[in-house]
Amino acid sequence: MKLLIALMISLQTMDTNGQVAGYLKQFATNKTIPPAVEKNVLTALSFFPELKQTNISFIMKPKLTSSVMQAQPVFRTLLQRRKNRRYRINISTEFRLISSILPILEIPDNVMIGWIGHELGHILDYEGMSNVKMITFGYRYYTSSKFVKHAEMMADSLAVERGMGNYIVTTKRFILDHADLPKAYKDKISRLYLSPDVIVEQVKLWEEKMLEQKNEEMKKEEEL
């Protein structure tokens, strides 16, 4: 059933007039989204029903240091009750190449969706943490490269487990195969994130799991 839902989502992201499909609009609850990226953001959000009520602002920024996107809690909300926690996902307006700058809106939609899905994986991970644990997480993220690798791989894995594996693979391959991207950035992605081959294996396992669940559901329906 979950596999069928994932396929339906991929087919219903746009209506015949190129507008955001009505099905996706339900995922805009408590979200602030720039119109230019609304379709891709809502498509990614549709794979994370756990975040349907979560307060997230998507913010376009002219420049991000060493990143294309960043998922962060709004710090002052860490001093409040956990239910009041808010998050932001910063999105760079520029994709910096070796000798030029590519506007982020010009990268393929599937790449953008995969990138956003990775950041939503971070937020899903954050949602399971207490405020104190979130503060500790932030400290360790900025002081330990080993911890960064664990956090980034966790975000990828959470996205894959929710059916976004093919998007995540597309994003990774876009980065690693892009001839005009700085080698240092590619090396960072290779070092800290799951490789496309590992993600493909995770996708196979996820698909097998979904097929088993579907077969179990069919057996139960036949027994009724």
Side-chain angles (χ1 to χ4, degrees), residues 7-33:
L7 291 172
M8 289 175 64
I9 288 171
S10 66
L11 293 173
Q12 294 179 1
T13 56
M14 295 287 284
D15 65 20
T16 55
N17 294 319
Q19 302 298 313
V20 175
Y23 171 79
L24 291 178
K25 292 181 180 179
Q26 63 182 298
F27 300 101
T29 303
N30 293 331
K31 310 297 186 294
T32 302
I33 308 171

Side-chain angles (χ1 to χ4, degrees), residues 77-93:
T77 67
L78 297 180
L79 305 176
Q80 303 171 12
R81 292 184 178 183
R82 187 172 173 179
K83 67 179 182 179
N84 296 325
R85 189 185 296 171
R86 302 202 315 269
Y87 303 94
R88 66 165 62 95
I89 291 181
N90 298 320
I91 303 173
S92 175
T93 58

Side-chain angles (χ1 to χ4, degrees), residues 40-48 51 56 58 69 71 89 91 109-125 151-169 171-172 193:
N40 290 336
V41 167
L42 292 179
T43 299
L45 280 166
S46 68
F47 287 90
F48 291 84
L51 300 178
I56 308 173
F58 296 81
M69 296 189 194
I89 291 181
I91 303 173
D109 285 345
N110 284 355
V111 174
M112 173 79 78
I113 292 167
W115 228 313
I116 295 167
H118 171 85
E119 300 305 326
L120 292 174
H122 277 302
I123 291 181
L124 186 62
D125 192 20
E152 298 300 344
M153 289 187 173
M154 175 62 75
D156 275 343
S157 295
L158 289 172
V160 172
E161 288 171 5
R162 274 142 191 85
M164 294 201 72
N166 291 328
Y167 286 109
I168 301 296
V169 168
T171 302
K172 295 294 186 297
Y193 297 74

Side-chain angles (χ1 to χ4, degrees), residues 59-85:
I59 302 170
M60 305 294 291
K61 290 197 168 187
K63 184 179 180 181
L64 294 178
T65 304
S66 71
S67 298
V68 175
M69 296 189 194
Q70 298 171 334
Q72 305 169 330
V74 177
F75 183 77
R76 66 178 178 274
T77 67
L78 297 180
L79 305 176
Q80 303 171 12
R81 292 184 178 183
R82 187 172 173 179
K83 67 179 182 179
N84 296 325
R85 189 185 296 171

